[in-house]
Amino acid sequence: MTLAHGRPYLAIPGPSVMPDRVLNAMHQPAPNIYEGALVEMVRGLVPDLKAVARTDGHVAIYVSNGHGAWEAAASNTIAPGEKVLVLSTGRFAAGWGVVFDRIGAKTEVIDFGKHATVDLARVEAALAADAEHEIKAVVTVHVDTSTSVKNDIAAIRGVIDKLGHPALYMVDCIASLAVDRFEMDAWGVDVMVAASQKGLMTPPGLGFVFFNDKAAGRQAKTASFYWDWAPRANPEMFYQYFGGTAPTHHLLGLRAALDMIAEEGGVEAVWARHATLARAAWAAFEAWGQGGGELEMNISDTALRSHAVTALRLAGDHGTRLRQWVEQNAGLTLGIGLGMAEPGAPDAGRYFRVGHMGHINAHMLMGALGVMEAGMVALGIPHGPGALAAAAAVIAEA
Ligand SMILES: *Cc1c(COP(=O)(O)O)cnc(C)c1O
């Protein structure tokens, strides 16, 4: 017998759970892309997106995933031969670095490993050594979805400012936008990339690049006609927003998602919900790891943990077995471990991730935790007691 039949919960972490309201908004005939309701609607999307990103700057929207937004950001700011400093705390910052390599930039990667945040002293040393200001951009992630570390974006800006270094500061918020507190302008971020399918609760297919006037002023760039952000941010004709036909149905879905964020009380309320649900999840993970329990969170310092996703490990191949058990028996799909071990390596079966971002509430999280416990019991995976009570206590206090 399986108890998986019913509404599935995809907690991988992205794509995240898509609200029915978003899907229903997309379920309609093709709208006119030359005049009328869609054209009006897109004008209203722009300020709402900027409000979520906490910026008065510009936004360019691409028909792309996050990788497309990475390439857009890189190619609009950097010319071949220019130097870029990449601060890597997992798979994703490193991946963005490769995009800079491929447009011909000279990347210098500082790798802070899989369990730590960016070390400010090392950033300061790297920038201080660049007396000629050859480094044109400092590139990092807010939340690295592979390790679930959350970097202190304002503190890194503090280091750049302390040295008076003119490099652009570019941050990937693909996992964290509308999940973890992020203040683009207040934290001094020049370029920020995001995508539709995580905190924004919309199917994959839209990439966003937010940028300020300093970034807009960069003359050196490699962007081709399609990737050029200028017409997208300041279109004279409607088609220029998207470099061609508008991604009509994704835009309708995004409109519904932004309405949901506004109705919840704005992005601050969304951040607060995610913070509480993350603390509830961590309370359960903590309890499972006590008293001979195997479970460990990848990031031990709570201040450095993302509210979007938690990377976890068990012993042996218990991570993979637990994932398979909850999917087959309970309708919950957890995320694979990403970037923690090479696929096929002896320890690859240890790692997995729980996504807790986007359209999730207390009962979904408690349900996920409950069936994870059932799976550990069924599989004989050692775990400490009291996890569900600990999570419930966090929710009760909120
Ligand atoms: C998901 C993710 C990406 C990649 O986005 P795609 O849409 O798969 O291209 C990049 N960076 C971070 C931090 C992510 O979480």
Side-chain angles (χ1 to χ4, degrees):
M1 188 196 61
T2 168
L3 299 173
H5 295 277
R7 176 161 285 223
Y9 175 8
L10 184 67
I12 63 169
S16 64
V17 175
M18 290 166 199
D20 288 345
R21 189 160 155 197
V22 168
L23 296 173
N24 289 338
M26 299 176 75
H27 195 103
Q28 58 170 276
N32 188 352
I33 56 162
Y34 297 104
E35 57 190 18
L38 185 84
V39 174
E40 292 308 312
M41 187 273 273
V42 167
R43 285 201 190 98
L45 277 181
V46 169
D48 293 354
L49 281 169
K50 290 187 199 172
V52 169
R54 311 286 264 198
T55 183
D56 293 329
H58 315 279
V59 61
I61 307 175
Y62 293 88
V63 183
S64 79
N65 54 21
H67 282 67
W70 276 351
E71 178 147 350
S75 64
N76 276 283
T77 52
I78 297 298
E82 289 187 327
K83 259 182 104 172
V84 172
L85 181 65
V86 180
L87 311 178
S88 173
T89 53
R91 174 65 68 89
F92 287 100
W96 198 7
V98 172
V99 174
F100 282 94
D101 285 334
R102 289 290 292 273
I103 63 162
K106 285 191 216 142
T107 52
E108 174 184 344
V109 181
I110 311 182
D111 186 355
F112 300 94
K114 297 170 183 168
H115 310 282
T117 187
V118 168
D119 175 355
L120 298 177
R122 289 180 67 190
V123 179
E124 184 167 343
L127 290 176
D130 180 38
E132 304 295 321
H133 293 165
E134 285 175 2
I135 294 172
K136 299 304 177 195
V138 176
V139 170
T140 195
V141 290
H142 184 208
V143 165
D144 202 299
T145 326
S146 57
T147 60
S148 66
V149 77
K150 176 165 64 186
N151 286 311
D152 187 339
I153 296 304
I156 298 169
R157 165 49 80 185
V159 171
I160 300 170
D161 284 353
K162 182 177 156 195
L163 296 170
H165 199 291
L168 288 179
Y169 184 28
M170 303 178 59
V171 178
D172 171 343
C173 289
I174 293 173
S176 55
L177 189 69
V179 177
D180 282 285
R181 172 177 287 276
F182 176 80
E183 306 271 3
M184 177 161 169
D185 291 355
W187 294 355
V189 174
D190 298 308
V191 178
M192 184 269 274
V193 298
S196 51
Q197 77 270 25
K198 290 180 178 159
L200 292 176
M201 306 179 285
T202 302
L206 294 178
F208 306 97
V209 182
F210 298 87
F211 57 100
N212 63 14
D213 286 335
K214 179 180 173 187
R218 282 283 292 166
Q219 294 301 318
K221 45 164 73 180
T222 52
S224 56
F225 171 87
Y226 185 76
W227 292 108
D228 188 1
W229 64 19
R232 291 172 187 261
N234 278 306
E236 283 166 19
M237 307 275 280
F238 182 71
Y239 81 92
Q240 291 178 311
Y241 272 114
F242 310 103
T245 298
T248 49
H249 289 68
H250 276 78
L251 296 169
L252 293 166
L254 179 65
R255 180 65 267 165
L258 290 169
D259 288 345
M260 291 173 70
I261 289 172
E263 288 165 22
E264 185 169 342
V267 74
E268 299 202 13
V270 175
W271 294 336
R273 171 169 52 86
H274 282 91
T276 302
L277 293 177
R279 279 196 297 114
W282 301 340
F285 301 153
E286 194 76 43
W288 281 331
Q290 303 295 309
E294 281 178 6
L295 192 80
E296 281 180 286
M297 284 177 269
N298 185 48
I299 301 297
S300 45
D301 183 345
T302 53
L304 305 181
R305 267 187 221 144
S306 160
H307 298 157
V309 54
T310 306
L312 298 157
R313 59 180 169 269
L314 286 163
D317 60 353
H318 285 166
T320 299
R321 290 177 70 214
L322 181 62
R323 265 196 314 106
Q324 290 170 346
W325 193 94
V326 296
E327 181 161 64
Q328 285 160 12
N329 295 284
L332 170 67
T333 303
L334 299 175
I336 59 166
L338 197 61
M340 300 304 293
E342 289 307 315
D347 61 339
R350 298 184 67 189
Y351 302 100
F352 66 105
R353 293 173 300 155
V354 178
H356 33 82
M357 66 164 73
H359 188 55
I360 70 156
N361 56 22
H363 85 73
M364 293 165 73
L365 182 74
M366 290 303 293
L369 296 172
V371 297
M372 286 175 68
E373 177 144 323
M376 287 191 276
V377 172
L379 296 168
I381 298 173
H383 59 282
L388 295 176
V394 173
I395 287 168
E397 281 161 19

